[in-house]
Amino acid sequence: MKKKVIQRVLLLIAFFYGGMHFTLIGLAAKLKTNTLNYLAIALGIALILISTGYFAFKCVLKYRSLTAKRREKSES
């Protein structure tokens, strides 16, 4: 259980950092064309949103399963 949590947190950090990196490259206009800069910004924002959404979704699912188990124990 603890290993899975650590893996999920590392996944969140990796995707969030990657998204932030792409976004900042696009905002700094370091790529050759404007299209590539806009694409980098969009990809970065998408990575940030996907990683945050995935992590929040997994946390909610885990919380619901733990509270359901707790309710079953208290009812019996």
Side-chain angles (χ1 to χ4, degrees), residues 4 9 20 35 49 52 61 69-70 73:
K4 281 187 177 183
V9 170
M20 204 168 56
T35 306
L49 292 176
T52 308
L61 286 179
K69 287 179 185 177
R70 220 176 265 154
K73 285 183 181 178

Side-chain angles (χ1 to χ4, degrees), residues 13-25 40-41 43-49 51:
I13 291 170
F15 275 107
F16 195 86
Y17 178 76
M20 204 168 56
H21 186 70
F22 275 125
T23 304
L24 292 176
I25 285 175
I41 293 170
L43 182 64
I45 291 172
L47 281 174
I48 290 170
L49 292 176
S51 67

Side-chain angles (χ1 to χ4, degrees), residues 6-64:
I6 292 171
Q7 286 175 346
R8 286 184 185 144
V9 170
L10 289 176
L11 185 69
L12 167 73
I13 291 170
F15 275 107
F16 195 86
Y17 178 76
M20 204 168 56
H21 186 70
F22 275 125
T23 304
L24 292 176
I25 285 175
L27 288 174
K30 294 203 177 216
L31 302 174
K32 292 182 180 180
T33 64
N34 283 340
T35 306
L36 289 176
N37 289 326
Y38 295 143
L39 187 63
I41 293 170
L43 182 64
I45 291 172
L47 281 174
I48 290 170
L49 292 176
I50 288 170
S51 67
T52 308
Y54 172 79
F55 190 72
F57 181 72
K58 285 292 187 177
C59 286
V60 167
L61 286 179
K62 192 64 172 171
Y63 175 76
R64 291 179 100 192

